Structure formats: structure tokens, C-alpha cells
Amino acid sequence: MERILPPNNKNTTHAPRDKKHSLFDDEFVMSEMHDVDTAPVTHKKVANEKPQRAPRTWIKITLWSGLIVTIIGTALVAFAAFNYWTNVYPTLPSVSELKTIQMQVPLRIYTADNKLIAEYGEKKRIPLSYEQFPPQMIQAILAAEDDRFFEHPGVDYQGIVRAAIELVRTGHKSQGGSTITMQVARNFFLSPEKSFMRKINEIVLSLKIESELSKEEIIALYLNKIFLGHRSYGFAAAAQTYFGRSLDQLTLDEFAILAGLPKAPSTLNPVTNPEAAKNRRDYVLRRMTELGYITEEMRLEAQAKPIESEVHTATIEAHAEHVAEMVRQWAVERYGDTALEQGLKITTTLRADLQTQAQTAINTGVLAYERRHGYRGPVAVLDVVGQQQWPVSVKDIYEPDAIKLALITNWDDKTKLANAKLKDGTLITLDAKASEWARNYKEPKRKSYLQIGDVIYVEPVDNQNYRLAQEPRIQAALASVDSKTGAILALSGGYDASRNQFNHATQARRQPGSSFKPFLYTAALDKGYTPATIINDAPISQYDEYSEDYWRPENYTGKFGGPTRMRVALIHSLNLVSIRIMQDIGIDYFLAYAKGLGLDTKEMESIHNLSIALGTASTTVLEHVGNYTMFSNGGYRVPPYLIEKVTDAKDAVLFQAAPPRLCDTDCGENTAPRVIKPTTHYLVTNMMQDVVRMGTGHGAMVLKRNDLAGKTGTTNDMKDTWFMGFNPDIVTGVWMGFDQPVNMGKQESGGTSALPIWVDYMRLALKNKPDIGFAKPEGIVSRRIDATTGALLTDDTPGGISEVFDQDNLPAVATPDPLRELQHELF
């Protein structure tokens, strides 16, 4: 076989090459082809025969068409780009807005000791900085959403190519085309519509975002913004919602669960669909393992854990529903309708422990009132024979916070011992003492006041024991204030605030009754009265033109004491003495004096009769407590306040309270005005101390303190009862009554209904507080007086009692009475 040599070999013969031949000429091609394994091929040329050429027209057309299409396409792209950059691009939002973006964050209200009271807002969100997110949380997000986030410039071209190939290959979209930065651009700036233009805008904005923000800033925006189901926005809020803990308290499997939510938060969350959440969690854990974030052992351990989740609301640490609503209204009035989504943190003056104690005292007090006034019967009566569970028909019966529903399952009429089951299945026992207050309850066809099948309320006495209760119809309210600053320490607007949203401490205007008398006595002291002044406790009859009848007021006891010293009259809250004092000093004088104290006198001015002395002008609990601060703090007008500080979402202070300072001399613009001179203040406070020591407020002595003072109050027909009490630091007021004023019962008074609540609260409020008492100012002197006449006794006169006076206003010296001296010698 002849070997064909390369073209430049000497033994190779070539036919002459026509200069016009091209690479497409058959003859040229054939002449250049040699096969080393075949015999030489000889070509015979025909004379005058022209070389054959392949048709080239279609090739030229194709090339020219491609060139034209390319030019036109390029022109169209250029035109589109020009149009986009001139008309669309300028309208895109500025990326710089992201640096100052204000996310919708709920309004949160806290106590002074940073306990959460309430959270208001449609979106639950807890913004964190990048550094505050746990590293495993970020790794889980990267594994699930964008593992090349820290490498690409905002648009992951590799991911887009992979997604495109997958789309062509399978016809289904795959993950990888949208980066975290693109999601930030979409969530912050773009509408949810799916269109080609929106995608272009998304890409352009992503590139802009990457050029102006750091990667850490971008992913922090994503972690705080994205919706994760159940009103939760951002991963910190989702951690609280699904697991009831903060992000830094979660475990690896929980991080993976949260990281799987962005794809479909409504269907992949662990509450709605635990199985789907588990599958998605396991996928995230596998990706974390593939990316080297966790080991295989860590993945297997995390995947072995069950899905345990439920919706958690904000953890309320201090229950103060009425206070929360007061703060919410204040915030909206001050910061507008968007106050609930600005991320405001409002710190109140409340102390969490005192707020809890205030509500507990209110609950205990109203339940005690119910026990004093008899049992009204069971909530329902069921046939429980053979039943092991609560019937569905009664599971919807309302259950307040302070008491629980129970079903009597066994009753011994002889021992009065009852077995009962709570709604949660807990079995309890009520002994005879627990229900003895209900023994007078009788109803036809019932053999006993309790029986099997009764649905009742029970009150927890301690961790193990319960007693029979009933849902109260009575209401009560409490307000407690730091008298030197005006800071509200605790405020309860009533029993069962979750159901009764009416705030009885701030919205209910009721007559203060005898608790108003100290203001009258203060005015009288400044008009020449002394604690030893004698006033006649005798009947009064006055014609009332308005009612066209005679007004005949009485004392609470219905008795008359005759000539009575001012101190004694206040101790025993004698109504007739107060009326005569008002009659003596004059209504107009008193109204002017009260206005000088800072009291609201509008209603008093409209009444403008002697009944004002008995507290007929209405007030609220908080207003009344605010007025009483002057008795506690030495005579200064200090208004109560609730808001201590307001900060925005970035912790910038928007508001800081500046309570007035107490100064003996003018300390500047923010000085609390002195409205009662020191000697007058001491005298009236000293008399109110005796109200506690030996008068209608004696029940407060159970606290075994010497620095307490106060005044009870019971209105006409026992419709409202009060106790206003204080020491040199704290003023607390308690009211009890019905929403629709009716007689509370013959035995009810400020000392029997309101005072026990006050004691229950102040026991904690004054715990570990020094028992110092009220300082005696200059000008106060102590003198012996005749207990009957109130006159001063001379040094050589035996007997008498000690009394305190303003040294500039002493009573006259007693003159000898021969008849009295003779009686003393004889008897």
C-alpha cells in the first residue's frame, strides 16, 4: 500500500492550483485529501471543463440576516436600556432610605423595673442588629436561602443560570435565582406583582443596595423584615411566637425550623403543619451539613428532635390592663395614629411588685365583700352521673383570672365536705370552713347549699387549698403615688380588667364622702381654728329650695355628741361638726381656699351649699390621691404622673419626665408650689394620725407602724366607701362600690370594705421602709388643755390632756369655774 506523505514531501506530485479556487472547491478539497491506507487516486481532466462550485447564496443570506438581526437587536436593547435609564431608573427609590428605614414595630409598655405590661400593634417585630443574631441562625438562613450571599454582588449569576437550566430541563422553577439582597429589594421597595419589569427593577435595586450597604447591613434588614407567619415579622419575633423564647435561647433544630419559614410561612410553620415544618427543617440541616456549618453528628441529633411548638403571645410580666390602655391613649394623642407601629418603648412609673399586689388586694377585697353578703347559688347544675370530663356545654362559661370554675363531683351533707374538679382536670377538696359562708343559701327543691353537679367558682387560698367563691358584682379601685415625685406606683382600675375595661380609678367619678373632710379642716385651721376648737355636734335642719324639703343630715351612727373638739370630730368623722365648720368659715371662703390648694372646684361651685362639707362633689380615685399628696409630703402640690420615659426604635429618648422638686425656697421653674403652710400641715396630719390610731381607720394599725395617717369615707346611703391613707412617702387611695350606685349594705363603711384592701396593699408597699413619721416644723408647740372646753390649762391646774398648736394661734386660758371645782371636790 502506497503511503501518502505530507504535502511538502519531495516525492509528492501536485496538480497546479488555480488561484481562484477557494476552500469550497471540490477539486481543491479532493486534491488535498490522501489516505495512507489506499492506493493513489488519479484524476483525469477534461479539456475546457470549468470547475464545479457549491451553492453559496443561502449561506450569505444566513450570515447577512444574522448580522441584521444582531444590529436591530442591539439597537432595540440599547433603546430599551436608554429608555429605562432615562425614564424608569430615576423613579426607583433611593437605596439610602434603607439606612434610615422605620420598620413597623409594636408599641411596648414597661414598668419602671422593665417588666412588660402590654404590646400594641398588628405586626410583632423585635429588631436586632447583625451582631445580635446568633451565628447558627445566620448560617441556617444562608443554607436555606442564599449560600453564596457573601460572595455574589447582589445578583447570583451562577444561581440564575442553574435555575434557567433547571427550568428548561424540567419545566419547573428551582431555588437559586433570587438572592437575599433581591428579597430585600422586593420586600422594601417593590410590589408583589410578578412581571418582567419588576424583575429588572429588582436586579437593578439589588446591585444598588450592594454598592451602598455592607453585607451585614443587608442581611440584618432581611432578618428583621421578612414575614414568618402568625403576625410575626423578623426572626426575633418568630422565635418568641413559635417557641416563647428569645433567639439566643434557641437550639440548632429550632434555628433550622425558623430558617425554613421564608419559603412558605403560612404552610411550613410548626404550628399549622408540623410534618411540613419537619421536612423543611431536615432539608435546611442537610444543606448546613453540606456547606460545612455543622457536622453530620449535629445534623442527626437535631433531626431526631420532635417538632414542639405553639403560638406564644408576648409574655406579660405585670398585669396592668387599665394602665396599658391609659398609656396607649396618651401615645396616640402625642405621637399620632402611627404610634403603635413606630417601635416606641414607653416606661411607666409603676413598680411591678406593687402593681401585682394592688390587683391581688382588689380581687381579695371584692371576693370578701361577696362572702359577707351571702351566696347567690351555683353557676349551673349538671347531671354528672357517669361523666369523667367537663361537659362541652359548660366549658364556655366565663372564668375570671382571680377565681376558677369547679364541678362538684361528691358532697357529704353531714361533714359539709365537697370534692370537685377544675376545668383542667385538677381534683380539689373543699372542707366545711371553705363553704360555711354559703350555709344560709336556700332554694326550693334543693336539699343543701351545695350538691353534686353544681358548677361553682372557687378562690385559691394558697397553692393547695380553695374556698367557695362567686363572681363579684361589686367593684373597687386603687391608686398609689409617691407623694414627693407624683410617680404612680400602682393603679388598679377594678376587678377582672380583661372583661371589665372601664377604669374605675380614672373614669368613675364618685362622691368621696367623709374622706374629703381633711381639706375642710385644713381651711378651718388657716382661719383660726385649732385642734381643740369646740364645735357643737347637734342636729341641723335646713330648708332646701331645690328639693323643696328640709335637709336633715346625720352622723353615721345616728347619734349626737354635743360640744366636741375638732380633733375628736375628725377621728370619729362627725358629719354635723363638719357642716357647722363650713357654715362658720363660709362656703365662698372654702371654695377660694380649695382652689388655692389645686382642687377642681367646678362641681363644688355648682353645688354651692353646706353639703360640700360631706364630700358631695365627685372625684376619681387617682384625682383624690393626687390631692392627698399634699398631706403626705409636707404641704406641696405634686400632681401624679404615669409616663417616665419614651424611647424610639433606636433607643433615642423622645420624652423624659421632669417631676417638680420639693423646696422650702423657690428652686426655679420646676418647683412644686407649697399650698399648705408647715404648721397647718402638721396639725391636720397629726389629727389624721389619730384617725388611724383610735378612729374609723383603726384597722390600719394591724401594720404596726406609727407613721400612718388617713381618713375613711362613706357616702350617703352607703353607696361608696373609701379609705385614703399615707405615710411621709406614699399615698394610697381605695374606693369600693357598684357600677350603678346602690346601697352596699348596713354594715359597710370605708373601714370595713375599702380599708382592708388598703392594708393588704400597703403591707408590701411599706415593707422595709423606715418608720420615721412626720417631721415637726418650727412653730408647733404642745400644751395641756381642758378636754371638755378645749381651753389652755395653767401650770398649776391639774389634769387635762396634751394638744399641739401653732404657737401663733393658741386657745384662751381656761377661767375658773366654781361649780365645776365643787363637783370635782365632792365626787
Side-chain angles (χ1 to χ4, degrees):
M1 179 180 292
E2 184 178 353
R3 181 180 177 85
I4 300 177
L5 300 175
N8 59 353
N9 193 290
K10 293 180 181 181
N11 297 324
T12 303
T13 303
H14 293 281
R17 182 175 295 179
D18 191 337
K19 292 181 180 180
K20 293 182 180 181
H21 288 177
S22 70
L23 294 175
F24 297 103
D25 290 344
D26 291 346
E27 184 179 348
F28 174 80
V29 173
M30 294 300 296
S31 66
E32 294 294 307
M33 293 179 62
H34 301 277
D35 190 342
V36 296
D37 295 325
T38 59
V41 178
T42 303
H43 295 276
K44 294 182 179 179
K45 238 179 177 182
V46 179
N48 299 325
E49 182 181 355
K50 294 182 179 181
Q52 294 182 358
R53 302 177 183 273
R56 293 177 294 172
T57 303
W58 67 273
I59 298 176
K60 292 180 180 180
I61 292 174
T62 301
L63 292 174
W64 277 106
S65 297
L67 178 61
I68 293 170
V69 170
T70 300
I71 294 172
I72 294 174
T74 303
L76 290 174
V77 170
F79 176 78
F82 176 79
N83 181 65
Y84 181 87
W85 291 109
T86 56
N87 296 322
V88 180
Y89 185 79
T91 65
L92 293 179
S94 173
V95 173
S96 60
E97 294 178 14
L98 291 176
K99 296 182 179 180
T100 58
I101 195 73
Q102 176 62 56
M103 296 186 185
Q104 292 187 23
V105 180
L107 165 69
R108 295 185 175 94
I109 303 170
Y110 293 86
T111 62
D113 41 349
N114 208 37
K115 304 295 184 182
L116 183 64
I117 295 174
E119 179 180 279
Y120 290 101
E122 294 183 3
K123 296 182 178 180
K124 295 185 284 186
R125 181 180 279 120
I126 307 173
L128 301 178
S129 65
Y130 175 80
E131 293 75 17
Q132 292 175 299
F133 284 97
Q136 272 194 340
M137 181 75 259
I138 295 176
Q139 291 172 346
I141 290 297
L142 296 178
E145 295 293 317
D146 187 359
D147 58 76
R148 297 188 65 250
F149 171 74
F150 284 99
E151 301 170 21
H152 61 65
V155 179
D156 188 0
Y157 301 108
Q158 293 182 18
I160 291 176
V161 171
R162 286 198 306 270
I165 293 173
E166 184 68 13
L167 179 62
V168 171
R169 189 176 68 85
T170 66
H172 299 287
K173 293 195 326 183
S174 67
Q175 194 174 358
S178 184
T179 66
I180 285 176
T181 310
M182 292 168 72
Q183 292 184 58
V184 169
R186 183 191 316 144
N187 289 330
F188 279 94
F189 295 128
L190 302 175
S191 66
E193 68 167 332
K194 294 184 178 181
S195 66
F196 180 75
M197 182 55 67
R198 196 212 71 175
K199 197 65 178 179
I200 295 297
N201 290 340
E202 187 178 304
I203 292 173
V204 172
L205 281 172
S206 298
L207 297 174
K208 286 182 67 178
I209 291 171
E210 290 274 353
S211 68
E212 297 187 29
L213 300 180
S214 68
K215 287 287 189 180
E216 290 77 11
E217 290 174 320
I218 295 169
I219 197 169
L221 286 170
Y222 172 82
L223 294 171
N224 286 318
K225 172 72 174 178
I226 194 162
F227 174 64
L228 297 172
H230 289 284
R231 294 178 48 235
S232 299
Y233 292 78
F235 286 88
Q240 290 286 354
T241 296
Y242 294 112
F243 304 113
R245 303 193 303 279
S246 59
L247 268 178
D248 58 0
Q249 296 175 315
L250 300 191
T251 56
L252 174 60
D253 64 302
E254 292 167 335
F255 286 135
I257 290 173
L258 295 184
L261 291 176
K263 183 178 181 181
S266 298
T267 57
L268 293 178
N269 74 71
V271 173
T272 304
N273 195 335
E275 187 61 29
K278 179 182 183 302
N279 294 335
R280 182 66 176 165
R281 177 201 68 181
D282 293 349
Y283 163 78
V284 173
L285 291 170
R286 286 196 303 274
R287 291 288 297 132
M288 292 181 74
T289 306
E290 293 168 1
L291 294 169
Y293 294 146
I294 61 174
T295 64
E296 181 67 15
E297 290 76 16
M298 294 170 66
R299 178 182 74 84
L300 294 175
E301 182 182 352
Q303 285 185 351
K305 293 185 177 180
I307 300 292
E308 296 178 346
S309 176
E310 60 180 304
V311 175
H312 296 79
T313 56
T315 303
I316 303 302
E317 301 168 288
H319 289 277
E321 290 83 355
H322 289 123
V323 171
E325 179 58 20
M326 291 168 63
V327 176
R328 187 197 68 81
Q329 292 180 11
W330 180 89
V332 171
E333 290 174 3
R334 187 178 182 92
Y335 300 107
D337 293 336
T338 61
L340 307 187
E341 57 188 40
Q342 295 177 23
L344 299 179
K345 176 183 177 180
I346 299 182
T347 302
T348 67
T349 56
L350 297 188
R351 270 180 48 183
D353 59 338
L354 295 186
Q355 179 61 34
T356 300
Q357 185 63 23
Q359 192 59 57
T360 300
I362 289 291
N363 296 342
T364 302
V366 296
L367 290 171
Y369 174 90
E370 291 294 333
R371 290 195 299 275
R372 290 196 298 272
H373 290 270
Y375 187 52
R376 295 191 298 271
V379 180
V381 179
L382 307 175
D383 180 6
V384 297
V385 177
Q387 290 190 13
Q388 300 298 321
Q389 302 296 329
W390 271 75
V392 177
S393 59
V394 296
K395 279 200 171 183
D396 292 333
I397 296 177
Y398 181 69
E399 186 175 68
D401 293 335
I403 53 180
K404 298 179 179 295
L405 283 168
L407 176 64
I408 301 292
T409 57
N410 187 49
W411 168 251
D412 188 326
D413 197 39
K414 292 183 179 180
T415 63
K416 308 303 181 187
L417 189 70
N419 295 325
K421 179 184 291 185
L422 304 183
K423 286 180 71 174
D424 62 6
T426 301
L427 299 177
I428 64 170
T429 299
L430 301 178
D431 59 22
K433 187 177 179 180
S435 63
E436 63 180 353
W437 65 273
R439 290 187 177 185
N440 291 330
Y441 172 70
K442 294 180 181 180
E443 185 180 320
K445 299 182 180 180
R446 285 182 67 97
K447 296 180 179 180
S448 179
Y449 61 95
L450 290 181
Q451 64 184 30
I452 296 175
D454 281 357
V455 177
I456 61 172
Y457 284 113
V458 292
E459 175 191 1
V461 178
D462 50 41
N463 293 332
Q464 294 181 337
N465 299 309
Y466 292 81
R467 64 183 167 204
L468 178 66
Q470 62 188 2
E471 188 172 9
R473 294 176 178 175
I474 197 82
Q475 271 293 352
L478 178 152
S480 183
V481 171
D482 181 326
S483 62
K484 291 183 172 62
T485 65
I488 299 174
L489 304 175
L491 187 145
S492 170
Y495 173 80
D496 195 18
S498 59
R499 190 178 192 184
N500 193 331
Q501 298 178 1
F502 184 76
N503 190 339
H504 295 84
T506 62
Q507 295 175 294
R509 299 196 65 84
R510 307 298 282 260
Q511 293 181 353
S514 297
S515 66
F516 181 76
K517 291 176 182 175
F519 300 104
L520 173 65
Y521 279 54
T522 303
L525 289 170
D526 271 349
K527 202 170 184 181
Y529 277 65
T530 74
T533 299
I534 299 297
I535 308 101
N536 193 16
D537 179 24
I540 293 176
S541 180
Q542 189 177 67
Y543 184 73
D544 182 9
E545 294 181 356
Y546 180 78
S547 63
E548 297 183 349
D549 196 2
Y550 283 93
W551 180 53
R552 297 182 177 90
E554 295 181 345
N555 292 323
Y556 178 78
T557 61
K559 300 177 181 179
F560 310 101
T564 306
R565 283 182 291 116
M566 188 184 201
R567 179 181 292 272
V568 174
L570 187 62
I571 289 173
H572 298 293
S573 195
L574 302 180
N575 292 336
L576 299 174
V577 170
S578 296
I579 293 170
R580 292 190 185 277
I581 291 175
M582 179 69 81
Q583 194 173 38
D584 181 48
I585 66 176
I587 295 173
D588 291 334
Y589 164 78
F590 174 74
L591 292 177
Y593 190 91
K595 187 174 290 185
L597 294 178
L599 274 62
D600 184 354
T601 61
K602 291 180 182 178
E603 188 175 346
M604 288 185 253
E605 290 168 356
S606 66
I607 296 173
H608 206 275
N609 61 40
L610 296 178
S611 70
I612 297 171
L614 305 183
T616 55
S618 62
T619 186
T620 68
V621 176
L622 182 58
E623 181 183 357
H624 206 27
V625 169
N627 292 334
Y628 257 73
T629 58
M630 64 185 75
F631 296 132
S632 170
N633 63 28
Y636 297 91
R637 177 68 184 176
V638 178
Y641 74 99
L642 179 60
I643 312 300
E644 185 65 48
K645 185 171 67 173
V646 180
T647 56
D648 63 15
K650 296 183 179 179
D651 290 330
V653 177
L654 304 180
F655 171 84
Q656 178 66 61
R661 293 171 292 175
L662 307 187
C663 298
D664 290 332
T665 58
D666 189 358
C667 298
E669 294 182 358
N670 201 28
T671 302
R674 177 181 282 281
V675 292
I676 306 176
K677 67 181 184 181
T679 52
T680 300
H681 167 266
Y682 182 83
L683 294 177
V684 71
T685 302
N686 186 264
M687 287 190 286
M688 283 194 278
Q689 283 187 280
D690 273 356
V691 172
V692 170
R693 292 188 185 115
M694 60 188 75
T696 56
H698 183 68
M701 288 304 295
V702 70
L703 297 178
K704 299 180 180 179
R705 297 181 67 96
N706 296 311
D707 62 347
L708 302 179
K711 185 68 187 76
T712 56
T714 306
T715 63
N716 192 32
D717 293 332
M718 281 71 77
K719 293 178 180 178
D720 301 276
T721 61
W722 297 76
F723 185 74
M724 307 294 297
F726 56 92
N727 83 332
D729 300 310
I730 299 175
V731 180
T732 300
V734 176
W735 162 88
M736 182 182 283
F738 289 95
D739 282 332
Q740 298 299 321
V742 295
N743 192 301
M744 293 173 58
K746 291 183 178 180
Q747 303 303 317
E748 297 299 330
S749 66
T752 58
S753 57
L755 179 56
I757 297 174
W758 186 92
V759 168
D760 198 5
Y761 167 80
M762 290 294 275
R763 182 177 284 109
L764 177 63
L766 296 178
K767 186 178 181 180
N768 301 324
K769 297 283 186 182
D771 187 357
I772 296 176
F774 298 90
K776 183 185 293 185
E778 292 184 8
I780 292 294
V781 294
S782 179
R783 296 286 187 269
R784 285 187 308 116
I785 63 168
D786 184 307
T788 303
T789 65
L792 290 179
L793 297 179
T794 58
D795 292 341
D796 58 352
T797 304
I801 60 172
S802 180
E803 184 58 273
V804 289
F805 300 94
D806 182 336
Q807 65 181 8
D808 296 327
N809 185 29
L810 297 174
V813 177
T815 58
D817 184 346
L819 182 59
R820 285 189 64 195
E821 291 180 0
L822 179 61
Q823 289 175 336
H824 180 73
E825 291 178 2
L826 292 175
F827 301 104

